[in-house]
Amino acid sequence: MARHPCFVSGSKIRAARGEIAIEQIAAGDEVVVLRDGHEAIEPVKWIGHTGVDLAKHAYPEEAAPIRIRAGALAENEPARDLLVSPEHCMIIDGLCVPAKLLVNGGSIRSERDHAPFTYYHLELERHGILVAEGAATESYLDTGNRSAFDNADGPRQLHPRFQVNADAAKWQTDACAPLAKVPEQVDPIWSRLAERSEKIGYLIPTLRLTDEADIHLVANGRTLRPVAQNGSRYVFMVQAGVSSLSLMSRFCIPADKLVAGQRDTRRLGVRVASITIRSGGTETVLAADHPDLQAGWHSAETDGADLWRWTDGAAIIPIRAGSKASVVTIDCTPVDEYPVYDDRARLVA
């Protein structure tokens, strides 16, 4: 998936004429770039921008800016708070480290309650190291995501999802620094910055967790609780005439566990092995890789003979309205613990 390295408007970039807000920089302007430990002056090739309204975004956690507090990385780095997109890389220990891998809930946090804002990116002739609010960070590396920006040629993505493609060839050929490896290179950096967070007055929060998955169905708008459960098998009675059926549960975003180097920002509801629908004398089995499992379902995964598919907490089960009631059996496993979220996917401490 394409990645989106961006700055929130207002971010000050070190330019030939001083510290300039990113939105005031245009193609052809000259900025300071760090090459081999030395400052160089290079022209801007392109400035892209895209407006984001998290309240309307399907997956706000994948678009919400990461706030890096003043001094979070080192003394005066950044010199004042810096807001960047989740996959925007900071240059730390000579490595490109996506900001979302640094989130500790204290000095570095995801702002899912941010008011509508605009992301900007700055492209050079070659991927390079910029200085933003006094901190070393990357310019834009094109890995095929220009359609996420309002001023790009062609159709714009409706809800761009800000994720890194760590396997993109350009990381090997064009990157200004190597992409940090998870966990061996990211974990020590995360731990160091988490310790620093406490020292500069931003305590790491204790999350509110629950082991209650709240697994239920919604049938034509009506909530249905399981009539039976045996281990991982949940049995539901669905009345005749139902044409809309959804598997609902809490969800967990693994990256929100506030542990080192957790990259996964998917909403994980429950892990489903299969769904069986019995109506009259007919039985339909939907395996985890069934092509009709679309909305609310992540891609199918395998491990040896095991096959499963995660929901995102609200997954559509394809069903045809019939004249007879149905027995729906879902073979699924919840995660061990779910962080508690509010209705905007913000953590409740």
Side-chain angles (χ1 to χ4, degrees):
M1 184 170 288
R3 61 185 299 272
H4 302 68
C6 309
F7 301 92
V8 173
S9 56
S11 301
K12 296 290 185 67
I13 306 298
R14 187 174 297 170
R17 54 193 175 97
E19 303 288 325
I20 308 297
I22 182 81
E23 65 270 24
Q24 296 176 356
I25 298 176
D29 287 350
E30 295 183 325
V31 295
V32 173
V33 184
L34 303 181
R35 302 281 187 194
D36 300 319
H38 302 284
E39 290 191 359
I41 302 296
E42 298 183 13
V44 173
K45 179 180 178 181
W46 189 59
I47 289 281
H49 60 80
T50 185
V52 179
D53 185 348
L54 296 176
K56 299 178 180 179
H57 200 287
Y59 296 93
E61 62 275 4
E62 295 184 355
I66 305 300
R67 181 179 292 273
I68 303 174
R69 295 284 189 182
L73 306 180
E75 188 68 26
N76 292 321
E77 292 184 22
R80 67 177 191 138
D81 288 8
L82 175 65
L83 283 92
V84 296
S85 61
E87 291 290 356
H88 188 103
C89 286
M90 305 305 296
I91 311 301
I92 303 174
D93 296 348
L95 300 168
C96 284
V97 186
K100 74 176 185 181
L101 299 188
L102 303 174
V103 170
N104 53 39
S107 61
I108 304 175
R109 60 185 297 269
S110 175
E111 293 212 338
R112 294 174 196 167
D113 56 354
H114 205 289
F117 61 93
T118 300
Y119 274 137
Y120 289 83
H121 79 64
L122 184 160
E123 185 178 28
L124 304 170
E125 190 62 40
R126 292 188 297 136
H127 192 226
I129 300 175
L130 303 171
V131 181
E133 305 293 0
T137 185
E138 66 167 334
S139 67
Y140 172 63
L141 178 63
D142 183 5
T143 55
N145 67 333
R146 288 187 190 271
S147 63
F149 297 94
D150 293 342
N151 61 324
D153 295 333
R156 180 190 182 277
Q157 293 179 29
L158 179 59
H159 295 299
R161 299 174 71 172
F162 293 70
Q163 297 182 350
V164 72
N165 179 4
D167 297 325
K170 287 196 172 185
W171 278 110
Q172 304 299 321
T173 60
D174 298 351
C176 64
L179 183 64
K181 297 178 181 178
V182 179
E184 58 267 35
Q185 293 176 321
V186 172
D187 284 13
I189 294 172
W190 187 94
S191 298
R192 186 177 80 223
L193 298 186
E195 182 179 348
R196 178 173 177 80
S197 179
E198 302 268 354
K199 289 182 178 179
I200 64 175
Y202 296 103
L203 301 182
I204 307 302
T206 300
L207 299 184
R208 182 178 165 190
L209 301 170
T210 179
D211 59 3
E212 176 52 58
D214 190 25
I215 297 171
H216 61 281
L217 298 182
V218 173
N220 285 4
R222 179 186 172 194
T223 297
L224 303 179
R225 298 291 173 181
V227 297
Q229 179 192 351
N230 183 9
S232 64
R233 296 172 69 84
Y234 294 76
V235 181
F236 299 85
M237 293 297 300
V238 178
Q239 63 270 38
V242 166
S243 58
S244 172
L245 189 65
S246 298
L247 171 58
M248 310 296 291
S249 70
R250 292 184 182 274
F251 64 85
C252 168
I253 300 171
D256 284 345
K257 291 293 187 70
L258 301 182
V259 295
Q262 178 53 259
R263 178 182 292 279
D264 194 348
T265 55
R266 294 178 300 166
R267 296 188 186 191
L268 302 182
V270 291
R271 173 174 155 159
V272 176
S274 65
I275 300 171
T276 302
I277 304 173
R278 296 183 180 90
S279 180
T282 302
E283 178 179 280
T284 301
V285 178
L286 304 176
D289 59 352
H290 196 284
D292 288 346
L293 300 180
Q294 296 290 330
W297 296 89
H298 295 291
S299 299
E301 301 176 56
T302 60
D303 184 6
D306 292 335
L307 174 68
W308 70 90
R309 197 178 199 133
W310 285 99
T311 74
D312 66 4
I316 302 298
I317 298 175
I319 191 170
R320 293 182 179 179
S323 60
K324 296 181 180 180
S326 301
V327 178
V328 177
T329 303
I330 302 174
D331 186 354
C332 67
T333 306
V335 300
D336 292 336
E337 289 183 311
Y338 292 87
V340 178
Y341 297 94
D342 65 13
D343 59 2
R344 292 184 64 182
R346 297 173 298 189
L347 288 167
V348 177

